[in-house]
Amino acid sequence: MTEPQVWTLIGVFAAGLFGMLTLMSTMFVRVVRTEIGSVRTEMRSGFDGVH
């Protein structure tokens, strides 16, 4: 392989890694927000039941 091909492969792998990192962090944030929302709803219903 020539040097330009190596640099192209490095760029492609770096872009793929960055894309996967972005996708996974976005999905993680969505899951965390959903879980926090469900815990908030459960706590509200529990406090309403006490009153």
Side-chain angles (χ1 to χ4, degrees):
M1 293 182 84
T2 63
E3 188 175 352
Q5 290 173 331
V6 171
W7 281 110
T8 302
L9 283 177
I10 290 171
V12 167
F13 286 135
L17 185 63
F18 184 72
M20 288 297 279
L21 181 66
T22 302
L23 180 66
M24 290 299 125
S25 64
T26 302
M27 295 299 249
F28 181 73
V29 167
R30 284 185 184 178
V31 167
V32 168
R33 283 185 183 170
T34 303
E35 291 298 321
I36 289 173
S38 65
V39 168
R40 185 180 296 160
T41 303
E42 287 182 26
M43 290 187 72
R44 275 190 193 151
S45 65
F47 290 143
D48 289 341
V50 171
H51 291 145

